[in-house]
Amino acid sequence: MSYALYVTHPQVVQNPSVPVPRWGLSELGRARAERFANHGLVRRSSRIVSSPETKALELAAILAAPSRLPVESGDNFAENDRASTGYVGSERFEQLADAFFAAPDRSAEGWETALDAQKRIVAAFATTLAAHDLAQPIVFAGHGAVGTLLKCHLGRRAIARSEDQRRIGNPGGGNVYVIRLADRALLTDWIAMEEVPETVAGL
C-alpha cells in the first residue's frame, strides 16, 4: 500500500528582524534534512508538496533533490498565522502555543485559531490527494502546529498540545508521521527523522 509522509522543517535560523515565515534552515537543520533525503520512504515518493514558508520550501527542495522532483507548494499548507504578535521570545511563545491548543476556538492574542488552521490544512491535504494517484507515495513538507492539527484530524483525536511534536523530545522540529493513503489512516505518531524505519507496519 502507498503512503504519505508529513515532515516538519528541522532547526531554523531565528532572526527577530526577519518575518518568521521567511526564516530559513540552520546549518544543523540542513544537515538533518540532507540525511533524511536519502531515506527509502522519501526516495520512493512521487511528489513533494510544501508550505510556502521559506524553511519548509528549503526542506522540500532538499528532500526532492535526490529524485530530481519538482517542489509544489500551496498557501493553505502554511503554519498557523501568528502575524498579530510576530516574533516573541521562547517563554512567551510557549505560553501562546499552550493557549492556542487549549482553546481551539479562541484566538491567542490575534493568532489564527486552532480550529480555523485545522480546517485549512485538512482541506488542503484533501484537495491535494483528490488529484493524486493514491498508488504513488507523496511527501508533505510543513510545520509543527498545523502538522499536529492534521494528525489530530487523521487520528480522530481531540486538539491538544500533548499531540505536538515536542512530546517526543525533539522540539527543534525535523519530525515525521506516516499516513496510509488508501484510507488516510494514521500509521505512526511523530518520529524523529533519524529514527524513521525503512518499513512501517500497516503498509
Side-chain angles (χ1 to χ4, degrees):
M1 292 186 182
S2 198
Y3 57 87
L5 304 180
Y6 189 95
V7 186
T8 63
H9 64 80
Q11 286 84 351
V12 301
V13 176
Q14 296 189 17
N15 185 343
S17 66
V18 174
V20 175
R22 289 170 48 197
W23 286 359
L25 296 180
S26 68
E27 184 176 337
L28 173 60
R30 282 189 162 277
R32 293 183 67 208
E34 287 167 0
R35 288 192 295 271
F36 186 58
N38 290 306
H39 192 287
L41 292 178
V42 178
R43 292 292 296 263
R44 289 191 291 274
S45 64
S46 63
R47 294 174 69 189
I48 308 284
V49 180
S50 177
S51 155
E53 298 191 21
T54 300
K55 46 194 173 284
L57 287 169
E58 290 181 355
L59 166 65
I62 292 169
L63 299 183
S67 301
R68 299 182 180 176
L69 293 172
V71 172
E72 307 168 45
S73 69
D75 290 345
N76 286 332
F77 287 104
E79 184 60 294
N80 65 304
D81 186 347
R82 303 166 181 166
S84 61
T85 60
Y87 171 81
V88 294
S90 59
E91 182 177 351
R92 184 59 183 144
F93 175 83
E94 293 299 328
Q95 293 171 346
L96 288 167
D98 283 342
F100 171 81
F101 283 104
D105 60 340
R106 294 203 298 271
S107 172
E109 294 192 14
W111 282 15
E112 180 181 20
T113 69
L115 281 179
D116 285 344
Q118 185 181 59
K119 290 175 184 176
R120 173 171 57 77
I121 189 71
V122 167
F125 179 77
T127 297
T128 299
L129 293 188
H132 180 70
D133 178 358
L134 298 184
Q136 300 297 320
I138 184 171
V139 174
F140 294 89
H143 308 277
V146 289
T148 296
L149 297 173
L150 178 61
K151 181 174 76 80
C152 290
H153 170 80
L154 295 171
R156 298 177 182 176
R157 302 170 184 170
I159 293 171
R161 188 86 200 265
S162 60
E163 298 287 347
D164 192 13
Q165 62 181 348
R166 70 174 188 166
R167 68 194 293 269
I168 69 168
N170 195 18
N175 300 301
V176 184
Y177 57 80
V178 184
I179 305 150
R180 186 169 57 212
L181 286 181
D183 55 3
R184 302 186 191 182
L186 186 65
L187 296 184
T188 72
D189 209 314
W190 292 114
I191 309 170
M193 285 178 169
E194 295 80 3
E195 298 175 6
V196 177
E198 289 288 341
T199 303
V200 175
L203 290 179

